[in-house]
Amino acid sequence: MKRWTLEEIGKLAGVSRSTVSRVINNHPNIRPNVRERVQQVIAETGYQPNSAARSLVSNRSRIIGLFMPSVLRSAFTDPYYPQIIQAISHACNQNDYIVSLFLSQTVEEESKMIQRIVGSGVIDGLIITAEHTDTSFIPTLQAYDIPFVQIGRPHDTTKDDISYIDVDNYAGAHYATSHLIQQGHRRIAQIATIYNTAGVDRDRGYRQALVERGIAVDEELIEVGDFSETSGYEAMQRLLLKKPTAVFVQSDSMAIGALRALHEVNIQVPQDVAIVGFDDLPSASQLSPSLTTIRQPIYRTGTLAVETLIDILNTSKEPVRRIVLPVELVIRSSSMAN
Amino acid sequence: MKRWTLEEIGKLAGVSRSTVSRVINNHPNIRPNVRERVQQVIAETGYQPNSAARSLVSNRSRIIGLFMPSVLRSAFTDPYYPQIIQAISHACNQNDYIVSLFLSQTVEEESKMIQRIVGSGVIDGLIITAEHTDTSFIPTLQAYDIPFVQIGRPHDTTKDDISYIDVDNYAGAHYATSHLIQQGHRRIAQIATIYNTAGVDRDRGYRQALVERGIAVDEELIEVGDFSETSGYEAMQRLLLKKPTAVFVQSDSMAIGALRALHEVNIQVPQDVAIVGFDDLPSASQLSPSLTTIRQPIYRTGTLAVETLIDILNTSKEPVRRIVLPVELVIRSSSMAN
DNA sequence: CTGAAAGCGCTAACAC
DNA sequence: GTGTTAGCGCTTTCAG
């Protein structure tokens, strides 16, 4: 299959290369019959513009990068990632963009990657997942004027020049904890995380909900995990010594681990210990017992990240976009005493 | 941060643009002190070649595509995908390639995508996961001379012009089934899949193992799933009516569903029914009971796919590469009667 | 060993 | 409305 050029298509259609270019780019002032003739030839030949040539002259590649910094090999298997990747990929297609994937496992790899991405002009913009608190590469992006949007609230809220899409982690944790209080629980433990702002916000929501109902926060009842199932399992084992009657777990994958820990020592959920998770992963409804959790709109988050970035690309970087999506308490068996 | 051009770097270093280009591309015949002076300027300025210009003149983008056709929204959450994606991403980085992601959900989307990919020359080559049996896009790739390697054996084995990386699905299923026979089982059911060649090969291995030990294959004992946990759950429920004493499940995610189905009706594993899975997902060892399974080298598969593709890119398409990686039986609790 | 110059395929300013 | 032309930043002959 031959690769055609504008010049050749022009010759076949009996017009100049510019006219063909205009037809392709939908310029208004083309005589209808010329336009039609050209389109005919394009259809027959299957001509498609060379993207390198286009990028070179327009300074736009129509490629956006999805940058996921320091994703641990194990944590990446959390179903959150496939979902967000799928959403982003799909939204890019819809908008005729291509998405390139950048996964780094160490901080050094990360900065090398950023250099490569930023300097060569391969990508028009970047979507960044706010995986951890080290965001030392952000100044580089800003220095090079690479538009980007972050998924998840930025760590440093004093600088408010970063566009982001977040879900309402604070409210979610507050719903979850309040729900447990309403069920009559007082010794409500938490399996927390400390790696990103989602964890920070969920922790705040948990604490605030307790305080509002006059329950003192007991630091003994807070254990830390890293979003992996194993870490949830281990955190639950530690918590068992403290005899909580309920646990708010900051992610469903850790909640699955926690359930396993309880199951192994024959503690009944929800009768002996109630559990609420966070994410509403596909499997949450299929666990036994089915998992009460906070549903966050993962797919929508990915879609919005793409649309926001493209909007920034097409207009300007101002104003900064900040979007916080609502979450929802989904009550299932793991928290219902009756 | 300014974006420099070759010309400017040349001026700063007191040489021509060609010399700078030669330094960057490691051409041999450059006087050492000139080379050094140029490298100095490059380091100081942080110069990086514009990739669009490079692609235009060299016909190479250093981008490879990862094409996953018709991935169901749910099936994509199988931890297999994150693992293979991570491996491919990492291997690309190592080789200074960028990976772009193409996920299609329908066949129409798929062919649109392929058109876009091949025609515009954005990518140098493609890695394709052999998700389903419809590979109608392959002729297009061949017509456009896009190098590609497939992950998983191609469906049509009569045409042997496709390079691929596969794991030994036949042997794996044979190991699994033989192991169950060795444990004394005779009524060995299978939860199979029918969507790709992996399923076909695993089915063959299962059947062959039975036949070799003089056990007739009972079609009643074979149920079909689609790799999802839910489908494994449902298939197991159907199988229960046939009272098997052991089940070979073609994927760990389906095995997890099967275990759940057994657990719900209080059937003990492995005492009442033994289970063997396939994949050795990270969670396989952490189930209760821990899952006997076939370990396949997912990460290695991804790495090899990238390396093979790059090799093809750098040399020629001949000879066709066919790699089949060995698998391994990992015996855990779910199959051990004693 | 290095520089000058052509040209990759496209867009857009400028003529007509 | 349409053609002509310059030029995006790079690699690569071809001279010297």
Side-chain angles (χ1 to χ4, degrees), chain B residues 2-17 20 41-42 45 47:
Chain B
K2 186 173 164 33
R3 273 207 175 99
W4 302 88
T5 70
L6 268 193
E7 194 73 47
E8 293 167 336
I9 300 297
K11 190 165 293 170
L12 285 175
V15 295
S16 77
R17 122 180 53 178
V20 183
V41 176
I42 291 174
T45 53
Y47 168 78

Side-chain angles (χ1 to χ4, degrees), chain B residues 72-85:
Chain B
L72 301 171
R73 195 150 149 179
S74 57
F76 193 61
T77 60
D78 193 314
Y80 177 87
Y81 291 100
Q83 279 190 261
I84 201 99
I85 287 177

Side-chain angles (χ1 to χ4, degrees), chain A residues 80-92:
Chain A
Y80 176 87
Y81 291 99
Q83 281 191 258
I84 200 100
I85 287 177
Q86 218 171 0
I88 288 171
S89 160
H90 190 245
C92 283

Side-chain angles (χ1 to χ4, degrees), chain B residues 66-113:
Chain B
L66 172 55
F67 183 49
M68 303 181 132
S70 300
V71 183
L72 301 171
R73 195 150 149 179
S74 57
F76 193 61
T77 60
D78 193 314
Y80 177 87
Y81 291 100
Q83 279 190 261
I84 201 99
I85 287 177
Q86 218 170 2
I88 289 172
S89 160
H90 191 245
C92 283
N93 276 141
Q94 296 291 310
N95 293 280
D96 270 312
Y97 270 81
I98 286 175
V99 59
S100 286
L101 205 57
F102 300 92
L103 308 178
S104 71
Q105 297 181 359
T106 64
V107 176
E108 307 87 64
E109 209 186 354
E110 188 173 301
S111 73
K112 256 191 58 188
M113 235 176 214

Side-chain angles (χ1 to χ4, degrees), chain B residues 58-71:
Chain B
S58 66
N59 259 314
R60 292 297 202 84
S61 64
R62 291 195 81 88
I63 300 179
I64 71 180
L66 172 55
F67 183 49
M68 303 181 132
S70 300
V71 183

Side-chain angles (χ1 to χ4, degrees), chain B residues 247-264:
Chain B
V247 187
F248 164 55
V249 189
Q250 281 197 7
S251 87
D252 282 1
S253 43
M254 292 195 298
I256 291 172
L259 285 176
R260 185 160 56 87
L262 293 170
H263 182 76
E264 273 184 10

Side-chain angles (χ1 to χ4, degrees), chain B residues 135-291:
Chain B
T135 48
S136 51
F137 54 87
I138 289 198
T140 312
L141 297 180
Q142 291 173 327
Y144 274 97
D145 243 340
I146 306 277
F148 67 96
V149 317
Q150 199 168 301
I151 290 181
R153 178 176 69 76
H155 187 61
D156 186 348
T157 45
T158 61
K159 297 185 296 186
D160 53 353
D161 54 351
I162 294 180
S163 293
Y164 64 88
I165 319 288
D166 197 9
V167 297
D168 199 339
N169 290 300
Y170 172 83
H174 195 284
Y175 296 159
T177 311
S178 301
H179 166 67
L180 289 170
I181 298 171
Q182 248 156 25
Q183 298 291 310
H185 294 283
R186 307 283 295 178
R187 284 188 68 74
I188 302 173
Q190 185 189 202
I191 299 181
T193 58
I194 52 171
Y195 299 101
N196 57 21
T197 53
V200 173
D201 292 351
R202 291 175 196 178
D203 182 58
R204 280 201 305 119
Y206 159 81
R207 288 168 190 268
Q208 179 64 22
L210 291 177
V211 168
E212 277 174 10
R213 305 298 186 96
I215 303 177
V217 175
D218 180 353
E219 302 292 339
E220 289 261 295
L221 288 178
I222 300 178
E223 288 286 344
V224 170
D226 64 2
F227 289 100
S228 72
E229 203 203 297
T230 308
S231 75
Y233 174 79
E234 291 165 356
M236 191 67 236
Q237 288 183 323
R238 293 193 298 273
L239 278 179
L240 278 176
L241 309 173
K242 321 285 175 50
K243 307 244 179 257
T245 67
V247 187
F248 164 55
V249 189
Q250 281 197 7
S251 87
D252 282 1
S253 43
M254 292 195 298
I256 291 172
L259 285 176
R260 185 160 56 87
L262 293 170
H263 182 76
E264 273 184 10
V265 293
N266 264 313
I267 293 180
Q268 298 294 312
V269 178
Q271 293 81 350
D272 303 332
V273 174
I275 298 282
V276 179
F278 203 115
D279 281 347
D280 197 25
L281 296 183
S283 61
S285 62
Q286 294 170 9
L287 297 167
S288 50
S290 62
L291 185 64

